[in-house]
Amino acid sequence: MLPYELIIKKRDGHTHTRQEIDFLVKGFTLGRIEEAQMASWLMAAFIQGLDHEETRYLTEAMVDSGSQLDLSRLMGATVDKHSTGGVGDKTTLVAGPLAAAVGVKIPKLSGRALGHTGGTLDKLATIPGFRTSLFHDELITQIEEIGLAVGAQTADIAPADKKLYALRDRTATVESIPFITASILSKKVAGGAKNILIDVKAGSGAFMPDLVRAKQLKKSLIETGAELGLNVKCLVTDMNQPLGMAVGNSLEIAEAIETLEGKGPADLTELSLRLAAEMVLLGRVSFKMEDARALVESALAQRQGLVVLEKMIRAQGGDDGVIKDRRRLPAAAHILPIVAEHDGYLAINDCRAIGLAAAVLSGHQGGGFSFDAGAGVLMRARHGEAVEAGAPLLELHFTEDERRVEAELLTRKGIAVVKEKPEVWPLVYEDED
Amino acid sequence: MLPYELIIKKRDGHTHTRQEIDFLVKGFTLGRIEEAQMASWLMAAFIQGLDHEETRYLTEAMVDSGSQLDLSRLMGATVDKHSTGGVGDKTTLVAGPLAAAVGVKIPKLSGRALGHTGGTLDKLATIPGFRTSLFHDELITQIEEIGLAVGAQTADIAPADKKLYALRDRTATVESIPFITASILSKKVAGGAKNILIDVKAGSGAFMPDLVRAKQLKKSLIETGAELGLNVKCLVTDMNQPLGMAVGNSLEIAEAIETLEGKGPADLTELSLRLAAEMVLLGRVSFKMEDARALVESALAQRQGLVVLEKMIRAQGGDDGVIKDRRRLPAAAHILPIVAEHDGYLAINDCRAIGLAAAVLSGHQGGGFSFDAGAGVLMRARHGEAVEAGAPLLELHFTEDERRVEAELLTRKGIAVVKEKPEVWPLVYEDED
C-alpha cells in the first residue's frame, strides 16, 4: 500500500477500506507517512468527505493508536459528558455534580482551553491545591465514592488524534464533520465511555457556528457512535452569547458554585438541569425525562450537587473552603466596567470575541506568559436586555493593563447597544424530527 | 495575509486574487510557507480548480520566481516547441532541424527524462562530446547561424515550478490542468518564448492518457497563453504506441538521423513534418499551411534538416561523425528479440509499460546506478500489424541482465498478439471545432 495511491483514491472521491484508513493513521502516527502527504490526504478527505464506515474506521484507528481506560470495575452504567466548546460553558461543573448526586457515575476526562473557549481543567486548576492528574485506581475509587471525577486526558489516550489535530489545525482541515466526529468519539472510546452526552454548540461562540452544520455533526456523532456500540445522546445548544455571566477561569468556578447554591443565572441553571437529566437517563437511574428532571431539580433545591462538588474538590486535593468563601479563589487586580453609551438593548454580535477577550486577559492567548487565573469577562447584561446609558454591560477583570487594552477592543467588537430589541435565541435547538 | 486563510478560501471554492497567488508561490519558494500547508492548498486547488485568471497569476508568479532569458537580440519570430512527454518522442530532433532549415529560429530549452518518458537532453547527451549547457551568448549566436539550439534549462528558470512540482509529485496533485498549464507556460515564458508549439500527448503512454482531458489541457494552454500575450498553437497527438520504432537514448538519435535522411518510420516522419510546418507558420516564414508543408517536405527531400542537425551537433561540441556512422553512438551489449508465439496482430495495450521498460534498461528507473546510453526498446512491428508465429515484435537492447528481466516483464505486459485486428488510432486528433 502506498500513501500516494490512497491520496489519489480519496482525491477522486472513492471510498477507503478499513485497512487503508488503518494504514494512513498508523503510518502518520509512527512518522512513516510525511506531513505533506497526510496534509494532502486530509484536504482531499475534507472536500470529498468520509462516509459513516470510513468515519468509524478512522475513529477505531485513532483509539488503537493508544491505550484504553478500563472502567469495568465500576458497577452500573457510567456516563461521560462532552461539549464541543463554548464561551462561559461551565455546565460540567454544575450538571456533573447534580447527576452524580442522584446516582449517576461520571468519569470525566477533560481538556484544556482551546482558542477562544475555556477548558474545564484550567478552571478547576484555579482552586488552590486541586490536582487534575489522577491515577487509574484513584479515579475508580473516587467515582465509586462520590460519583464524579474530573481528570486530565493522559498522553496515551488516542495519540493519533493529537498528532492529526495539530496538522489539521495548520492545514485548514479542522471543521470537517467526519474528522470532528472521529476526534470526539475516539477520545471517549479510549477513555472507556459507553454512554455519552454530547453538547454540540452552535452560534458565533462555537467552533461550528452554523446551525445546519451543528445538526449534521449531531447526526454523525449519533450514527457513528451507534456503529461503535456507543449510546450517544446529543443536544444542539446555543452559543451566540456566553453561557451564564462569567467567562474566565476562577470567575466560572465561582459561578458554578453559585448555581449549585440555586442562585445562578437562569440560562446556566436551566441548561445544567437539562444536561443533568439527560445524564440520569443515560445512566439508567431513571427511564423517563419527567422523573429524571424531578430528581435533578430536587438535588439542586437541596444543594446535593454542591455537596458532590465539595467532596470532589477535597478528594482531588483542592481547598474545599472555596465553596463557602469565594475569596479563597484567585482574583484579578482590577475591574473595568464597560458601560452603555446610550439607552437601548444589549446585542451580542460576536460571542467569539468575548471568549477571545477572556482568553487574552487570562493569558491563554496573546502576549505575555503569565497565567492570570482570576482574569476574565463578567457579563452584566444579557443579549436583548434593555440597558440605560451609563449602565454596565460587562466587566473586564484584569491585572495587566496591556491585556486589558486588547480585550477591551475585542469586547467592543463583540457587543453593541442597539435601538430595537434584537431577536433572542433559544437555549436548546430541539429536534424537529 | 495568512496561508491558513488562503487554504480556506480555495478549500471552500472561492477565487484567489493575483496578490494571494503571488503570496503563496513566493512564500513557498522562499520557505516561509511550510510544505504541509502548501500540500493542503495544492489538493484544495486540484479539486476545486483554478480559473483562467488564477492560472495566469500562477504562471506569472512562477516566472517571477527566477530570471528570464532575453532573446530580443534575435531578429524575427522565434518558435519554441514543447511536448507533454511521450514514449519514443524524438520529434524535436526531426521537426526542429526541418523548420530551422527553412528559416525558423528555434531556441529550445529542454528537460530530462521523467518517469516512463524520455528526455531530449538525455538523448542528445549520448552523442560523444555533446554539451547541453549553453552560455546565453553562445545560444543566441548559434540560433543566428544555424537556426536551432537545444540546451538545458538552467536552475534559475522558474525555480518555483521546480519546487512545486516536487511537492505535487509526492502529494498526488500532478494531473491538474491548471497546474500543468502554469508549469509548461512558466518555463516557456521564462525561456523567452513568444510563439510556442505544444504537442499534447493523449493515450496510454502519455501523462494524461484521457483524450477528453488532453483536449481540455490544449484549451487551457491556448487560453492562458493568450492572456499572457503568447502565441500558442497546440496539437493533440496519439501516444498509445511509441512514436517511431526506437525507444531509448542513442536508439532514438539514430532513428532521428534516419528520419532526416528520409528513411524513417511513416508515423514519425508524418508527425515531424506536421510539427515542422506548424513551426514555420508560427515563425511567420509562411502564412499558409500548404506553403509551410511544401517547404518542410522539400527540406526533408533535400536532406537540409540533416545538415542543420549536423551543424548543431558540431556547434555544441558533439561528434558530428555520428550522422554518417551510427556505430559512433553508444550501443548496448546484447539484443533480445521478443517474438510472436502465434499468428495474429500486434496489439499495444499499455504504451507506458514499454516506456518504463526502456527507462529500466537505460537505468533511468529501477535498480543500479549506471546509465546505459545504448539501451532501450526497438519495436519491430506496429500496433495492428499482422505478425506470424516466431516473428520479432520488439527487441530489448541491454547490457545488464537484471534490468532485462524487469524490462521483459514490462514489455510482455504492454503488448499482446491478438486474433482480430485491433482498432488503430489516428496520429493527430484534429479539432472538431
Side-chain angles (χ1 to χ4, degrees):
Chain A
M1 221 179 281
L2 286 173
Y4 190 88
E5 301 297 328
L6 301 186
I7 301 171
I8 290 179
K9 195 168 179 181
K10 187 44 74 185
R11 180 195 80 190
D12 295 346
H14 302 296
T15 307
H16 287 304
T17 64
R18 178 193 290 276
Q19 287 70 31
E20 288 168 354
I21 298 266
D22 277 351
F23 175 83
L24 285 167
V25 172
K26 197 168 181 182
F28 179 64
T29 308
L30 297 178
R32 288 184 201 141
I33 297 177
E34 58 161 341
E35 280 200 333
Q37 291 195 313
M38 202 64 187
S40 176
W41 180 82
L42 283 173
M43 181 53 81
F46 186 102
I47 297 177
Q48 304 288 12
L50 299 179
D51 68 17
H52 281 301
E53 297 250 288
E54 290 173 294
T55 307
R56 172 159 65 99
Y57 301 151
L58 180 61
T59 309
E60 289 175 339
M62 298 204 300
V63 170
D64 289 345
S65 71
S67 52
Q68 275 186 265
L69 207 62
D70 181 6
L71 298 178
S72 58
R73 263 177 56 200
L74 288 171
M75 302 296 284
T78 60
V79 178
D80 203 339
K81 182 238 164 218
H82 181 82
S83 160
T84 61
V87 177
D89 183 4
K90 70 282 290 174
T91 53
T92 294
L93 300 174
V94 182
L98 288 174
V102 302
V104 183
K105 286 176 177 160
I106 308 162
K108 167 78 181 129
L109 297 186
S110 209
R112 294 270 167 192
L114 191 64
H116 65 284
T117 67
T120 301
L121 289 187
D122 298 292
K123 296 170 196 172
L124 282 170
T126 66
I127 299 169
F130 195 91
R131 284 185 304 111
T132 55
S133 298
L134 300 175
F135 290 103
H136 184 235
D137 275 358
E138 194 182 9
L139 181 87
I140 300 284
T141 308
Q142 184 177 326
I143 293 164
E144 276 170 346
E145 289 173 2
I146 308 172
L148 176 66
V150 181
Q153 238 162 50
T154 50
D156 58 346
I157 292 290
D161 174 64
K162 197 166 292 176
K163 199 168 170 190
L164 269 176
Y165 187 87
L167 185 58
R168 285 167 55 208
D169 195 35
R170 280 148 52 213
T171 56
T173 50
V174 168
E175 307 91 337
S176 142
I177 287 172
F179 289 166
I180 296 172
T181 301
S183 177
I184 292 175
L185 294 182
S186 65
K187 283 179 285 194
K188 294 294 147 191
V189 171
K194 295 277 179 276
N195 307 291
I196 310 166
L197 175 62
I198 304 177
D199 185 1
V200 176
K201 300 293 189 189
S204 65
F207 281 107
M208 192 162 279
D210 182 58
L211 182 59
V212 173
R213 298 255 299 151
K215 286 181 175 176
Q216 288 168 351
L217 175 58
K218 168 183 170 168
K219 190 163 174 281
S220 172
L221 286 164
I222 291 172
E223 291 181 10
T224 307
E227 285 190 19
L228 289 160
L230 301 173
N231 188 17
V232 175
K233 169 79 190 181
C234 267
L235 294 183
V236 178
T237 70
D238 186 67
M239 194 29 73
N240 280 299
Q241 66 177 321
L243 195 58
M245 306 302 260
V247 187
N249 296 291
S250 73
L251 293 171
E252 295 194 39
I253 293 290
E255 189 173 64
I257 294 170
E258 252 168 50
T259 307
L260 286 169
E261 287 172 339
K263 298 179 289 189
D267 64 329
L268 176 60
T269 303
E270 171 51 32
L271 185 60
S272 298
L273 284 169
R274 173 69 187 272
L275 292 169
E278 298 285 1
M279 290 164 87
V280 167
L281 291 179
L282 278 167
R284 280 164 247 156
V285 171
S286 299
F287 297 88
K288 283 163 71 181
M289 185 39 111
E290 306 94 276
D291 301 346
R293 178 78 191 205
L295 275 178
V296 294
E297 281 184 1
S298 149
L300 178 64
Q302 296 172 44
R303 296 196 170 190
Q304 290 166 350
L306 196 65
V307 174
V308 171
L309 183 63
E310 188 173 12
K311 283 184 186 168
M312 185 187 88
I313 291 171
R314 201 181 312 136
Q316 296 189 218
D319 173 11
D320 59 354
V322 298
I323 297 285
K324 296 206 172 53
D325 182 5
R326 247 142 288 160
R327 284 168 307 178
R328 298 173 91 136
L329 288 169
H334 313 289
I335 299 177
L336 175 77
I338 306 288
V339 299
E341 288 176 5
H342 50 81
D343 292 1
Y345 298 90
L346 175 63
I348 296 180
N349 303 316
D350 185 355
C351 180
R352 189 170 179 273
I354 298 171
L356 269 180
V360 165
L361 292 172
S362 65
H364 282 310
Q365 291 269 326
F369 295 97
S370 68
F371 178 56
D372 192 353
V377 174
L378 195 64
M379 301 303 295
R380 294 292 302 274
R382 302 287 300 162
H383 174 79
E385 193 176 321
V387 289
E388 287 177 11
L393 303 172
L394 56 81
E395 294 169 3
L396 301 178
H397 289 232
F398 66 100
T399 303
E400 287 183 28
D401 201 58
E402 213 174 308
R403 290 177 177 173
R404 191 267 306 158
V405 174
E406 192 182 345
E408 191 175 342
L409 285 172
L410 281 163
T411 50
R412 288 191 191 275
K413 187 186 142 212
I415 63 171
V417 174
V418 295
K419 292 267 157 72
E420 305 233 337
K421 184 173 173 160
E423 220 181 315
V424 295
W425 305 282
L427 191 59
V428 178
Y429 296 97
E430 302 289 353
D431 288 333
E432 291 93 40
D433 46 47
Chain B
M1 220 179 281
L2 286 173
Y4 191 87
E5 301 298 329
L6 301 186
I7 301 170
I8 290 180
K9 194 166 180 184
K10 187 44 74 184
R11 180 195 80 189
D12 296 345
H14 301 296
T15 307
H16 287 304
T17 63
R18 178 194 290 274
Q19 287 71 32
E20 289 168 352
I21 299 267
D22 276 352
F23 175 82
L24 285 166
V25 172
K26 194 167 184 183
F28 179 63
T29 309
L30 297 178
R32 289 185 202 139
I33 297 177
E34 58 161 342
E35 281 199 333
Q37 291 195 313
M38 202 63 189
S40 177
W41 181 82
L42 284 172
M43 181 53 83
F46 186 102
I47 297 177
Q48 303 288 13
L50 298 179
D51 68 17
H52 282 301
E53 297 250 289
E54 290 173 294
T55 307
R56 171 159 66 99
Y57 301 152
L58 180 61
T59 310
E60 289 174 339
M62 298 206 298
V63 170
D64 290 344
S65 71
S67 52
Q68 275 186 267
L69 209 60
D70 181 6
L71 298 177
S72 57
R73 263 178 54 201
L74 288 171
M75 301 296 284
T78 61
V79 177
D80 202 340
K81 182 235 163 220
H82 181 82
S83 159
T84 61
V87 177
D89 182 4
K90 70 284 289 174
T91 53
T92 294
L93 301 173
V94 183
L98 288 174
V102 301
V104 183
K105 285 176 180 160
I106 308 162
K108 167 80 181 129
L109 297 187
S110 209
R112 294 270 167 192
L114 190 65
H116 67 285
T117 67
T120 301
L121 290 187
D122 299 292
K123 297 169 196 173
L124 282 170
T126 67
I127 300 169
F130 194 91
R131 284 185 304 113
T132 55
S133 297
L134 299 175
F135 290 102
H136 184 236
D137 276 356
E138 194 182 9
L139 181 88
I140 300 284
T141 309
Q142 184 175 328
I143 293 164
E144 277 171 347
E145 287 173 3
I146 307 171
L148 176 66
V150 182
Q153 239 162 51
T154 50
D156 57 347
I157 292 289
D161 175 64
K162 198 166 291 173
K163 200 169 170 191
L164 268 175
Y165 187 87
L167 184 59
R168 285 166 55 207
D169 195 36
R170 280 148 51 213
T171 56
T173 49
V174 168
E175 306 91 339
S176 143
I177 286 171
F179 289 166
I180 296 172
T181 301
S183 177
I184 292 174
L185 294 182
S186 66
K187 284 179 286 194
K188 294 295 147 191
V189 170
K194 296 278 180 275
N195 307 289
I196 310 165
L197 175 62
I198 303 178
D199 184 3
V200 176
K201 300 293 189 189
S204 66
F207 280 107
M208 191 160 278
D210 182 58
L211 182 58
V212 173
R213 297 255 299 150
K215 287 181 175 175
Q216 288 168 351
L217 176 57
K218 169 183 169 166
K219 189 164 174 282
S220 171
L221 286 164
I222 291 171
E223 292 182 8
T224 306
E227 287 190 18
L228 289 160
L230 301 173
N231 187 18
V232 175
K233 170 79 190 183
C234 267
L235 293 181
V236 178
T237 71
D238 186 67
M239 193 30 71
N240 281 298
Q241 66 177 321
L243 194 58
M245 307 302 259
V247 187
N249 297 290
S250 73
L251 293 170
E252 295 194 40
I253 294 290
E255 190 172 64
I257 293 168
E258 254 168 48
T259 306
L260 285 170
E261 286 172 340
K263 297 179 290 189
D267 64 329
L268 176 60
T269 303
E270 171 52 30
L271 185 60
S272 298
L273 284 168
R274 171 69 186 270
L275 292 169
E278 298 285 2
M279 289 163 87
V280 167
L281 292 180
L282 277 168
R284 282 165 245 156
V285 171
S286 299
F287 297 89
K288 281 164 71 183
M289 184 41 111
E290 306 94 276
D291 300 347
R293 180 76 190 208
L295 274 178
V296 295
E297 280 183 3
S298 151
L300 179 62
Q302 295 173 43
R303 296 197 170 190
Q304 290 167 346
L306 196 65
V307 174
V308 171
L309 183 63
E310 189 175 9
K311 283 184 186 166
M312 184 187 88
I313 291 172
R314 201 180 313 136
Q316 297 191 218
D319 173 9
D320 59 353
V322 299
I323 296 285
K324 297 207 170 56
D325 182 4
R326 247 141 289 158
R327 283 168 309 179
R328 298 172 92 137
L329 287 169
H334 314 289
I335 298 177
L336 175 76
I338 306 289
V339 300
E341 288 175 4
H342 50 79
D343 292 0
Y345 297 90
L346 175 64
I348 296 180
N349 303 318
D350 184 357
C351 180
R352 189 170 179 274
I354 298 171
L356 268 180
V360 165
L361 292 171
S362 65
H364 282 309
Q365 289 270 325
F369 295 97
S370 67
F371 179 55
D372 193 352
V377 174
L378 195 63
M379 301 302 295
R380 293 291 304 272
R382 304 285 303 160
H383 175 80
E385 192 175 322
V387 289
E388 287 177 9
L393 303 172
L394 57 81
E395 295 168 3
L396 302 178
H397 289 232
F398 66 101
T399 303
E400 287 182 27
D401 202 57
E402 213 174 307
R403 290 176 178 175
R404 191 267 306 158
V405 173
E406 192 182 345
E408 190 174 343
L409 286 172
L410 280 164
T411 51
R412 287 189 190 277
K413 189 186 140 211
I415 63 171
V417 173
V418 295
K419 291 269 158 70
E420 306 231 336
K421 184 172 173 163
E423 218 181 314
V424 295
W425 305 281
L427 191 59
V428 178
Y429 296 96
E430 302 289 353
D431 289 333
E432 291 93 39
D433 47 45

